[in-house]
Amino acid sequence: MDFQAKLKGKDYLIRVDEQPKYWGITLQEKGQKEEFHKIPKEHFKRMDQGVSFLFDESSYMVDVVGEGTQYTVYTRGSYREIPLYNDESLLHESLKGGGAMGASDSLKSGMPGKIVDIMVAVGDNVEPGQPLLIMEAMKMENEMKATHPCVVKEILVNKGDSVESGALLIKFES
């Protein structure tokens, strides 16, 4: 499962893969090299609102309380308020246009998917709410719309392309 989070002004991509004997955790600060960590299942335990695990010969207890995309994480005597987007919330943010952490000069994919249709061309003037493209993700077709008036500068995908989370789809002139 993929997540996006923001902590201390930095954006992170987080991938959690459950394997038969371990949890695979991939962390990547935006623009930085990704890190991969394995946490053996015998070193991991779920609790009511969090988890405990051993990592690099240290014990961690992480309590997580939240709703929607806003979470409070408590670990090692410190609280952090962290916006956290999972696949479903990324899909909802994608539907708003621009992705959860996208920029206003571009349209990015909020999650992996397939481009089903492109409804604009380079040079088109678009208005807020105007459909830009349709992307299939999580077995649903999602219409991605413009969030502000702009001109399409460049379309970086084609109909039928598969894209990863965070992929740049369309650039706009400012």
Side-chain angles (χ1 to χ4, degrees), residues 56-76:
D56 274 351
E57 300 179 20
S58 293
S59 175
Y60 295 85
M61 282 187 47
V62 181
D63 290 311
V64 180
V65 178
E67 187 173 319
T69 59
Q70 296 300 314
Y71 290 85
T72 301
V73 177
Y74 177 78
T75 187
R76 298 195 159 201

Side-chain angles (χ1 to χ4, degrees), residues 91-163:
L91 175 62
H92 290 286
E93 291 297 321
S94 292
L95 293 173
K96 293 178 185 174
M101 298 182 183
S104 61
D105 64 347
S106 64
L107 175 68
K108 293 181 180 179
S109 170
M111 60 188 328
K114 182 178 179 180
I115 305 301
V116 175
D117 198 7
I118 300 170
M119 289 101 108
V120 292
V122 173
D124 282 359
N125 288 300
V126 295
E127 296 297 321
Q130 182 176 340
L132 300 170
L133 59 81
I134 296 175
M135 187 171 102
E136 182 181 294
M138 296 179 68
K139 300 179 183 175
M140 294 185 293
E141 290 190 356
N142 307 290
E143 194 174 72
M144 300 175 82
K145 300 177 180 179
T147 59
H148 60 286
C150 55
V151 176
V152 176
K153 180 179 179 182
E154 186 175 2
I155 299 171
L156 300 146
V157 292
N158 295 302
K159 190 175 174 180
D161 285 355
S162 294
V163 297

